[in-house]
């Protein structure tokens, strides 16, 4: 099976600072990883993904880092804005399967 | 809405009643999923379907039922056998039939049992 956990349930940052949200997974056969953002009362929205043959992928203001040696995944948000306030989930697919296993989420709070 | 529509957004039911949540997608995608979300927790998979007239149980299928008679529709019934049905329910679609790929979620349905 697979278990996924985030390191901090809540993260507070100042507007303009960089944010780093961490995630750990248990199964070394995991091969696809996704970060989702969920605003209050809404469904999760895709942010960025990465496959196990990569260790870094960048998007607009976001970067995902994958360390397969220690089974760790992180999401970095540059120049954090108030609109980034949300719960962030990592999700993991193992062995080309059909199911995503989600972590418990980190609440990102942006202070003005 | 990411091409997927859930209804109703809020639903109340009395204990012992079945209730059906609607999920419709208009992008002709093969795979559809139902997740449950409880406060402070991640999403847990209830059922998924990769093709019409076929579906598989997820991690917490007990007390739920689904059907996939049409490609665009994947309704979820929360039965009276579900012991703790109050939750936020999320439907999702995926382009890929096999292999999850990226999921696109609806806006969710919040069910409260009185």
């Amino acid at each position: 099976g697979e278990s996924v956990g985030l390191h901090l349930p809540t993260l507070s940052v100042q507007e303009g600072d960089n944010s780093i949200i961490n995630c750990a997974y248990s199964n070394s056969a995991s091969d696809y990883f996704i970060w989702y953002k969920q605003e209050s009362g809404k469904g999760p929205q895709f942010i960025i993904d990465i496959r196990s043959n990569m260790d870094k992928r960048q998007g607009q203001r976001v970067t995902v880092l994958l360390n397969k040696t220690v089974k760790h995944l992180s999401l970095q948000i540059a120049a954090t804005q108030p609109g980034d306030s949300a719960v962030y989930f990592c999700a993991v697919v193992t062995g080309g399967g059909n199911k995503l296993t989600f972590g418990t989420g980190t609440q990102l709070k942006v202070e003005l | 809405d990411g091409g997927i529509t859930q209804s109703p957004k809020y639903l109340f039911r009395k204990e012992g009643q079945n209730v059906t949540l609607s999920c419709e997608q208009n992008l002709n995608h093969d795979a559809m999923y139902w997740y449950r979300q409880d406060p402070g927790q991640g999403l847990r998979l209830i059922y998924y379907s990769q093709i019409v007239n076929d579906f598989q149980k997820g991690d917490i299928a007990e007390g739920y039922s689904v059907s996939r008679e049409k490609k665009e529709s994947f309704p979820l019934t929360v039965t009276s056998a579900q012991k703790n049905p109050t939750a936020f329910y999320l439907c999702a679609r995926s382009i890929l039939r096999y292999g999850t790929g990226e999921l696109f979620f609806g806006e969710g349905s919040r069910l409260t049992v009185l």
Side-chain angles (χ1 to χ4, degrees), chain B residues 79-91:
Chain B
T79 75
S80 57
Q82 169 49 236
K83 299 304 180 188
N84 186 20
T86 295
F88 190 47
Y89 291 90
L90 288 157
C91 182

Side-chain angles (χ1 to χ4, degrees), chain A residues 7-73:
Chain A
H7 294 181
L8 289 175
T10 303
L11 175 66
S12 294
V13 299
Q14 294 289 324
E15 182 180 6
D17 287 351
N18 296 336
S19 303
I20 300 176
I21 301 171
N22 296 301
C23 181
Y25 61 96
S26 64
N27 193 328
S28 57
S30 299
D31 54 9
Y32 181 51
F33 308 86
I34 310 176
W35 281 99
Y36 284 91
K37 172 186 179 183
Q38 187 177 27
E39 297 176 343
S40 182
K42 296 187 176 182
Q45 294 177 290
F46 173 90
I47 302 174
I48 191 167
D49 60 358
I50 189 168
R51 297 203 178 266
S52 57
N53 60 350
M54 303 173 69
D55 54 19
K56 181 180 180 179
R57 192 165 186 218
Q58 289 183 290
Q60 188 176 14
R61 279 201 310 118
V62 294
T63 300
V64 55
L65 298 178
L66 176 61
N67 186 330
K68 293 182 288 292
T69 301
V70 295
K71 297 195 282 291
H72 182 269
L73 185 71

Side-chain angles (χ1 to χ4, degrees), chain B residues 1-111:
Chain B
D1 62 0
I4 190 160
T5 302
Q6 291 186 241
S7 63
K9 191 170 178 64
Y10 298 97
L11 186 62
F12 299 87
R13 86 154 208 222
K14 295 180 180 179
E15 281 193 36
Q17 290 181 333
N18 293 353
V19 61
T20 297
L21 308 179
S22 170
C23 179
E24 303 279 329
Q25 57 110 348
N26 59 6
L27 295 176
N28 201 37
H29 288 169
D30 284 315
M32 297 183 75
Y33 303 77
W34 274 105
Y35 285 85
R36 170 181 171 138
Q37 186 175 29
D38 293 286
Q41 296 190 30
L43 281 66
R44 293 183 290 167
L45 182 64
I46 305 172
Y47 269 99
Y48 64 102
S49 169
Q50 295 164 297
I51 196 169
V52 174
N53 292 323
D54 188 46
F55 47 83
Q56 285 78 42
K57 292 182 179 179
D59 300 318
I60 55 165
E62 185 176 352
Y64 299 97
S65 66
V66 293
S67 63
R68 188 87 186 274
E69 298 176 1
K70 298 184 295 182
K71 193 172 189 178
E72 61 268 27
S73 179
F74 190 42
L76 173 74
T77 297
V78 184
T79 75
S80 57
Q82 169 49 236
K83 299 304 180 188
N84 186 20
T86 295
F88 190 47
Y89 291 90
L90 288 157
C91 182
R93 60 173 178 84
S94 173
I95 295 173
L96 301 179
R97 177 180 297 180
Y98 299 107
T100 304
E102 176 187 342
L103 294 185
F104 297 88
F105 286 88
E107 293 290 277
S109 293
R110 188 169 298 281
L111 172 63

Side-chain angles (χ1 to χ4, degrees), chain A residues 1-2 25 27-32 92-101:
Chain A
E2 173 71 87
Y25 61 96
N27 193 328
S28 57
S30 299
D31 54 9
Y32 181 51
V92 177
V93 178
T94 302
N98 300 306
K99 299 190 297 182
L100 260 62
T101 300

